[in-house]
Amino acid sequence: MTIHTHDDAYEPAHTASQTAHALDELQLYGYRPFDEPDPRPMPDGQRLAVAVADIFDALVATLEDTRMEPDLEEVLWGQVNLFHRATARIERSLDENEQAQRRLQREQDGSEVKSTELERLTAEGLTLIERRNCMDMMRDHAATEFVHHTGSTWRPRTGSMVNRQHMTAALIDSRDFLAAKRRAETDVMLPASPKVALSGGTDFNDHRLIWGKLDQVRTKYPDMVLLHGGSPKGAELIA
């Protein structure tokens, strides 16, 4: 019969191991990968291009002149599609991040909690944009390799292929300017203030009632915008 003795010097008595404690902490407080900005850099573009080319060269060298050669084009198409689908997946995450940022912008109450959460989402969004652009670049390099090895242009089965290689800083600034110009022109016709619509007959002339009601509304909404049909007489003219 073997008797096991407990050696406190070797293993002190405890109720839970350090691993169990760490797991309890993670379960209690949760873990979010974007609590702190990722300090690691993005991959080097030239090295990515070489890596993608090596993938295609390896597949072609392995399958060419074998009975698998009839499937080679489909295999190469799948390599491009791999990056294409990854780009679409990151795009969906980016859309969700944008909606979350808009929601938090509306919920801002001046508290540090809300402000910190918005900062976290902003940092997450910037990282997602960089990851999407990186996947875009790998997909474009892969599509170029596909053309080189097959002589055919790569096209997705469904959807479209967006190319961001020509999105220079000058082009982005120009688009931002035009978008701001359109917003400024539209805001004149669609002001952000509360809108109050008034409509009445052309033979309605009780100006005291109309002015009294409008004064009540304006007291509640000082920056109100009055909407009416512009009738040359009656209630709308009085308003």
Side-chain angles (χ1 to χ4, degrees):
M1 181 177 66
T2 302
I3 300 176
H4 296 281
T5 60
H6 183 77
D7 186 357
D8 289 341
Y10 176 74
E11 179 69 22
H14 50 71
T15 57
S17 67
Q18 292 297 322
T19 302
H21 177 70
L23 292 175
D24 289 340
E25 291 292 304
L26 288 174
Q27 185 177 12
L28 178 61
Y29 298 107
Y31 170 72
R32 297 180 300 184
F34 290 101
D35 278 339
E36 296 292 338
D38 194 337
R40 296 174 297 177
M42 294 298 293
D44 178 71
Q46 186 61 36
R47 294 183 64 183
L48 281 178
V50 172
V52 171
D54 288 344
I55 292 173
F56 278 78
D57 290 342
L59 288 171
V60 171
T62 304
L63 301 182
E64 206 170 32
D65 297 327
T66 70
R67 280 181 288 177
M68 290 296 295
E69 187 170 358
D71 301 307
L72 179 58
E73 183 170 342
E74 184 68 20
V75 171
L76 297 181
W77 183 93
Q79 297 304 307
V80 188
N81 192 54
L82 179 69
F83 297 120
H84 183 67
R85 292 180 61 185
T87 300
R89 173 177 51 79
I90 297 175
E91 281 279 7
R92 289 192 294 271
S93 298
L94 192 56
D95 290 340
E96 294 172 359
N97 176 271
E98 179 184 357
Q99 295 303 319
Q101 286 195 47
R102 292 182 184 277
R103 174 179 54 79
L104 267 180
Q105 287 175 5
R106 294 191 298 268
E107 295 177 358
Q108 287 298 304
D109 54 6
S111 66
E112 184 178 355
V113 174
K114 294 290 186 181
S115 178
T116 302
E117 182 70 8
L118 184 57
E119 291 174 359
R120 182 188 67 81
L121 284 175
T122 302
E124 178 182 347
L126 293 174
T127 296
L128 287 171
I129 290 174
E130 291 177 334
R131 287 172 53 197
R132 180 203 61 190
N133 293 344
C134 184
M135 282 293 180
D136 259 355
M137 184 177 66
M138 287 192 287
R139 182 203 56 196
D140 293 341
H141 283 307
T144 301
E145 292 295 325
F146 181 82
V147 174
H148 172 70
H149 288 289
T150 67
S152 303
T153 302
W154 186 88
R155 294 183 178 86
R157 295 279 193 265
T158 59
S160 58
M161 178 176 171
V162 180
N163 191 328
R164 296 183 177 85
Q165 287 185 343
H166 303 295
M167 292 292 289
T168 62
L171 178 58
I172 294 174
D173 290 343
S174 176
R175 289 184 175 180
D176 289 344
F177 168 78
L178 294 177
K181 179 176 178 292
R182 284 194 297 269
R183 284 196 300 270
E185 293 172 348
T186 304
D187 287 346
V188 175
M189 304 302 296
L190 295 173
S193 304
K195 301 167 186 63
V196 178
L198 183 142
S199 178
T202 56
D203 56 349
F204 189 88
N205 296 312
D206 191 346
H207 64 278
R208 290 188 177 86
L209 176 61
I210 295 175
W211 291 348
K213 292 299 180 182
L214 289 178
D215 286 342
Q216 291 178 5
V217 176
R218 190 171 185 180
T219 300
K220 186 174 182 180
Y221 304 104
D223 56 342
M224 59 167 276
V225 176
L226 180 62
L227 305 178
H228 58 79
S231 178
K233 59 180 180 178
E236 295 178 0
L237 176 62
I238 295 172

